[in-house]
């Protein structure tokens, strides 16, 4: 029986897949520019490991009970198809509250929020958060 997920075969997303997953909240022309600039052939294994970590465990597992970690800001785009709002909020609830842990939602944004035309808004928001927390 073959590998149904082609975990070892490296290939790029099609533009339609990239547009849906990463660039759904930006104009099509900008999505095409990001697709040309950022997509590379890569194996699917890390994506499947992350997607199934809750069920099977994985190298991607995070120790959310770590009490010695530094402050954590989880960010998310309101229209993100890869990491929807529900995942960001679930992550926020999982982390130990012994250290500063916050979630920042970017309205109307998708998964490309740190590389698309609105990246400066995200960077400024993060810098403000870091400064507010003495970092």
């Amino acid at each position: 029986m073959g590998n149904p997920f082609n975990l070892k075969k490296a290939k790029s997303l099609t533009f339609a897949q990239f547009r849906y997953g990463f660039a759904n909240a930006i104009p099509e022309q900008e999505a095409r520019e990001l697709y040309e600039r950022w997509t590379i052939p890569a194996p699917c294994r890390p994506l499947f490991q992350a997607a199934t970590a809750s069920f099977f465990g994985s190298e991607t597992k995070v120790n959310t009970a770590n009490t010695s970690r530094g402050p954590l800001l989880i960010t998310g785009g309101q229209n993100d198809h890869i990491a929807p709002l529900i995942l960001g909020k679930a992550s926020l609830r999982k982390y130990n509250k012994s250290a500063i842990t916050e979630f920042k939602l970017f309205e109307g944004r998708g998964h490309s929020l740190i590389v698309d035309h609105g990246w400066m808004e995200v960077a400024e928001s993060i810098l403000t958060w870091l400064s507010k927390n003495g970092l």
Side-chain angles (χ1 to χ4, degrees):
M1 179 180 217
N3 182 346
F5 299 113
N6 292 320
L7 296 179
K8 293 184 180 180
K9 185 176 181 185
K11 52 195 267 193
S12 293
L13 296 174
T14 66
F15 174 71
Q17 292 166 328
F18 177 83
R19 177 88 165 124
Y20 177 83
F22 295 91
N24 62 300
I26 58 175
E28 184 171 351
Q29 181 58 39
E30 183 178 7
R32 287 191 183 284
E33 291 167 8
L34 292 178
Y35 177 76
E36 292 300 321
R37 180 172 184 171
W38 295 107
T39 58
I40 59 169
C44 297
R45 177 166 288 189
L47 297 175
F48 283 100
Q49 286 175 330
T52 61
S54 296
F55 305 108
F56 305 112
S58 157
E59 293 85 359
T60 61
K61 186 172 178 149
V62 175
N63 178 5
T64 58
N66 181 355
T67 58
S68 64
R69 69 169 174 82
L72 173 64
L73 175 63
I74 301 168
T75 61
Q78 179 184 24
N79 300 326
D80 192 331
H81 289 165
I82 300 293
L85 176 60
I86 193 167
L87 291 180
K89 290 192 173 191
S91 293
L92 178 66
R93 286 190 301 273
K94 282 190 83 110
Y95 274 90
N96 183 299
K97 301 301 185 240
S98 64
I100 296 167
T101 309
E102 295 180 29
F103 178 79
K104 169 68 177 160
L105 177 67
F106 292 91
E107 304 267 335
R109 304 297 300 280
H111 200 71
S112 65
L113 73 160
I114 62 165
V115 295
D116 66 31
H117 69 275
W119 71 269
M120 240 174 160
E121 173 196 359
V122 177
E124 288 171 358
S125 179
I126 293 169
L127 288 172
T128 300
W129 183 85
L130 288 167
S131 178
K132 178 184 94 171
N133 289 288
L135 303 168

